[in-house]
Structure formats: C-alpha cells, structure tokens
Amino acid sequence: MSTAASQGTASKVDLHQIGEVAQRVGLSLRTVRYYEEVGLISPERRSEGGFRLYTEENISRLLTIMQMKPLGFSVEEMRELLDARDALRSPRSQASERQRAAERLLEFAQFAEKRCRKMRKHLAAGEKLAEQLSREGSEQRVEERS
Amino acid sequence: MSTAASQGTASKVDLHQIGEVAQRVGLSLRTVRYYEEVGLISPERRSEGGFRLYTEENISRLLTIMQMKPLGFSVEEMRELLDARDALRSPRSQASERQRAAERLLEFAQFAEKRCRKMRKHLAAGEKLAEQLSREGSEQRVEERS
DNA sequence: TTGCTCCTCACGTCACGTGAGGTGGC
DNA sequence: TTGCTCCTCACGTCACGTGAGGTGGC
C-alpha cells in the first residue's frame, strides 16, 4: 500500500488476497467469489494452498463492476460490457471484432446514461422524501381545528 | 381520470382497480400484491367478486414507497416508516406515542439523507463510467507504437 | 356471450448471506 | 503451535417474476 510504484522489476506483480481486495473495493468475500462463479472476474492465479491471488488489474475490473452495480446492471449485462471491453483491448482480436466491440461499448454508454437520468430522478425524489420526513418529524402539533 | 375534482359528494370516493394503480405508480401487479402480503399497503376494500379497490390515499402511500425504494430501503424499513407516519397522523394515538413516532421519522430522515449522499456518489461514478465507455467506444485506433 | 381484468396458489430466479467443517501461511 | 485468513459445499433469504387454472364486470 506504500513503497512507491514498482514497474521495472515486474514479475511477481504484487498479488493480493481476497480479504484485502474485498475491503478495498467494498464487497463481501462472498460477492467477490460469486462474481467469479458467474464469470465476471477471476483471480490471476491461486497460491499453492488454493488461496485466490489478485493483481491490480483484477482489482480495477472489480472497481468497474462497482461503478455499474448501482446503475442496476445485471450480472449478465456486466459480463457483456466487460467482454466487449476485453475484446476491444486485446491485441489479438480481429479488426471486425474490435469494431463490433466498440459499437457494443457505445450502446452500453447510452444505457448507462439512461440509468443515470433515472437515478437523478430517484435522487430528487429521495431528497424530497428526506425533507418531508424531517418536516413531519419536527412539526409542532398545532392542529387545533374542528 | 378527468371530470374535475369531486369532494362534496364524497361517499363512494373513487375506487381504482389494481391494474390502473400499478400503471400509475409504476409497479407490477405482482409487486403491488406482494406489498400487501408483507403488510405495506392494503386496498381500501374488495369488490363483491374479490377485486382489490384502492383510494387515492392508498395510491399516495404507494408513491411514498416508490420514493423509498431506490434509496435501498428494505420492505421492513418501509413498513416501519409508514407505521410511524400513521401513528403520527392518527387522531387516536396518544401524545407519547406521537412523540415517539416523530422521533422515528427524524431518524428515517437522517437515514434517507445518508442514502441520498451515497446515491450522489454512485451517480457521479456512473456518469464517469458512461463518459469513459463512450470515449473507449469511439476512439480511433491509433496504437501504432511498440 | 365474448374479452379483458382480476383472483389465488405455487414454483422459479437473481444476487447474494450465512453457517458448517476443514485447511493454509506468516 | 497458535490465530487469522482462506477454502468449498450447500441451504437460506429477499423481492419479486412467471405461469397455471379459474372467475368477475362492463
């Protein structure tokens, strides 16, 4: 978590156990394992004893998932998005494949924006509720009328 | 849905079937029934044939639920909030009870504000994601470097 | 009488939570 | 050797979705 950025001696790359990872990204251990179960993200490798070991890249993938989650993406949608991104980034994917992936990403961008708009509405409604509750809760009882 | 506001001849009060209600508040029939199952909100009465009939007041209760839902309130929490509100509003509740209810509402107001803050963060993260995706999706492939 | 709306089971699903029982690693 | 962390089942839960089979009301 300190000791400056290593990059020259990259070989053992800094591997993290699931506990640290879960805490850093704000998920439960169970959820991280579940995301592996459903094919969203796997640890780089396992230790001899079977412990999951994650790279920083693995972690950033989880952080992307954490961006999608509150927007209401399903696990299936997250997987599609991540797959498209992988295809676009992979140096060994064909031009046509890359093209298709780029289109998919744009579709997801639209989708995400739509969800954001909905979320802004929900937020506004939530703020109204909070105000209303605090008014109702602190109102003096002056209801002295037939 | 039109015919001006009736209020003088209030007696049959305007009752609505579940389909209309669900559509107006933006829930599925199943969800409206589920909320009844778990004690969140019941129709004013049933028709002879057993059809659920809702008043405007019932509907506004559902709308309150719709404000809480995206804030991540559990059904249990929604019920507690609605109960506190009912206790505060009911003319037949004791002063002490009313006092307690007002305090609960203030707690819920805090809770709601906390959720709103979290939601604003999620929204900001979501917007960042959307931007990023649209950048990645429309980026010209100019990666011509070793 | 024909449709469209509603009814009640009741099993299915999604995204995890929660132990139980057992082992790894500094 | 002692703890703390991790492992794999596997059943439980929350908030509904989705038929199946049947009736109500303009």
Side-chain angles (χ1 to χ4, degrees), chain A residues 30-83:
Chain A
R30 175 62 170 117
T31 299
V32 176
R33 292 191 194 112
Y34 172 70
Y35 288 163
E36 181 178 349
E37 245 181 83
V38 297
L40 275 188
I41 187 247
S42 301
E44 195 62 23
R45 61 184 194 82
R46 298 283 189 123
S47 73
E48 277 190 42
F51 282 32
R52 277 169 255 259
L53 297 173
Y54 299 86
T55 61
E56 289 294 330
E57 199 188 323
N58 297 155
I59 293 172
S60 98
R61 194 176 175 93
L62 277 170
L63 289 172
T64 300
I65 290 172
M66 290 303 277
Q67 286 179 291
M68 294 188 246
K69 212 159 89 89
L71 293 181
F73 280 64
S74 71
V75 161
E76 175 63 22
E77 288 160 344
M78 293 182 193
R79 186 171 33 219
E80 286 175 29
L81 192 158
L82 291 169
D83 283 355

Side-chain angles (χ1 to χ4, degrees), chain A residues 133, chain B residues 68 73 77-85 105 108:
Chain A
L133 290 177
Chain B
M68 292 188 249
F73 280 64
E77 289 161 344
M78 293 183 192
R79 185 170 36 219
E80 285 175 30
L81 192 158
L82 292 169
D83 283 354
R85 209 183 220 183
L105 283 192
F108 277 117

Side-chain angles (χ1 to χ4, degrees), chain A residues 59-132:
Chain A
I59 293 172
S60 98
R61 194 176 175 93
L62 277 170
L63 289 172
T64 300
I65 290 172
M66 290 303 277
Q67 286 179 291
M68 294 188 246
K69 212 159 89 89
L71 293 181
F73 280 64
S74 71
V75 161
E76 175 63 22
E77 288 160 344
M78 293 182 193
R79 186 171 33 219
E80 286 175 29
L81 192 158
L82 291 169
D83 283 355
R85 208 181 220 186
D86 288 346
L88 188 62
R89 287 175 178 181
S90 168
R92 67 196 179 295
S93 55
Q94 302 303 106
S96 64
E97 194 181 345
R98 210 185 291 280
Q99 171 65 14
R100 182 80 197 98
E103 283 164 18
R104 296 239 58 198
L105 283 191
L106 287 179
E107 285 169 27
F108 277 117
Q110 296 291 325
F111 184 63
E113 274 167 34
K114 198 161 124 190
R115 294 310 186 102
C116 284
R117 282 193 289 278
K118 185 171 285 184
M119 205 167 172
R120 273 190 283 273
K121 292 198 177 187
H122 287 159
L123 179 56
E127 284 167 344
K128 255 184 73 176
L129 177 67
E131 261 183 68
Q132 212 170 308

